[in-house]
Amino acid sequence: MLKKRIIVCLDVKDGRTTKGVKFQNNIDIGDPVEMAKKYYEQGVDELVFYDIMASARGRGPILDLISRVAEQVFIPFCVGGGIGSIEDIRSTILAGAEKISLNSQAVKNPELIREGARIFGNQCIVLGMDAAKDSEMPSGYRVYINGGRVKTDLDALEWAKTAVAFGAGEIVLNSIDADGVRQGYELTLTKMIAENVSVPVIASGGGGTPQHLADVLTQGKADAALIASMVHSMGYTVDGIKRDLNGLGVPVRL
């Protein structure tokens, strides 16, 4: 059985790690380079680094900070935020990222997914999708961009399928409704996307206990669970969470 991955997310704003609830009221919680090193030493499978203000401010990725994080970790490292061109993808990979997350920019220019996958390979191109419940949408969920601040006309399930057809090799699916609330992942949304695409789906938003991770990795059919608050401020460690998951019968790399 394939082992499930545990991924820590560092949301970065003005060069510092930050954390909010439902994408709002973000507070400074530390230095991303030091935090990346700590989680790497605790045994995290992958790291995701999001520059949460880059797209809204119309600027590219912070390459210096990306390279400093990459020097500290020897695991897959995904970077998102402000990546709007093939040149941005290339420079981010050269700075040390293995994967690129395209979110707002993918919505604005879907050809970037296709071109990025053609040049760098599907495994490098991750679709970041922020979705929230909306009864007007066929799937019941609408896609948002610019850090959850701007709603689109895209249905979450249709957009996931379209992005995979264009070449996205993985989807990080973030539930805006569950983000930072620590009450559990959005199982309905995660399962729906996971059952309808042929690439790995990473569940994001809502992790508060190891049981929440176990639920989304089994009932929600996710291939990986992304965590932030649990290890940033709730006293959990990555290795401790993995031991708990192992005890709950979820296969993880110990």
Side-chain angles (χ1 to χ4, degrees), residues 61-71 73 77-79 83 85-100 119-120 124-125:
I62 312 173
L63 300 175
D64 164 59
L65 188 56
I66 293 164
S67 65
R68 285 179 19 236
V69 170
E71 283 166 9
V73 301
F77 172 40
C78 179
V79 172
I83 298 171
S85 67
I86 291 298
E87 202 37 63
D88 286 339
I89 295 176
R90 183 176 283 113
S91 58
T92 303
I93 290 171
L94 289 172
E98 277 83 15
K99 301 179 185 182
I100 302 302
I119 296 171
F120 304 103
C124 275
I125 306 299

Side-chain angles (χ1 to χ4, degrees), residues 7 13 22 27 29 78 84 94 100 105 114 119 123 131 142 151 153 159 171 203 206-208 224 229 239 242 244:
I7 302 172
K13 179 182 178 184
K22 296 189 180 182
I27 55 168
I29 55 172
C78 179
L94 289 172
I100 302 302
Q105 300 297 335
R114 200 196 303 271
I119 296 171
Q123 79 288 344
R142 184 187 293 272
K151 78 177 187 176
D153 294 329
W159 176 229
I171 296 174
S229 304
D239 44 340
K242 284 186 166 188
D244 288 342

Side-chain angles (χ1 to χ4, degrees), residues 195-213:
E195 287 184 337
N196 283 282
V197 297
S198 57
V199 301
V201 172
I202 299 163
S204 169
T209 68
Q211 185 64 55
H212 291 156
L213 276 77

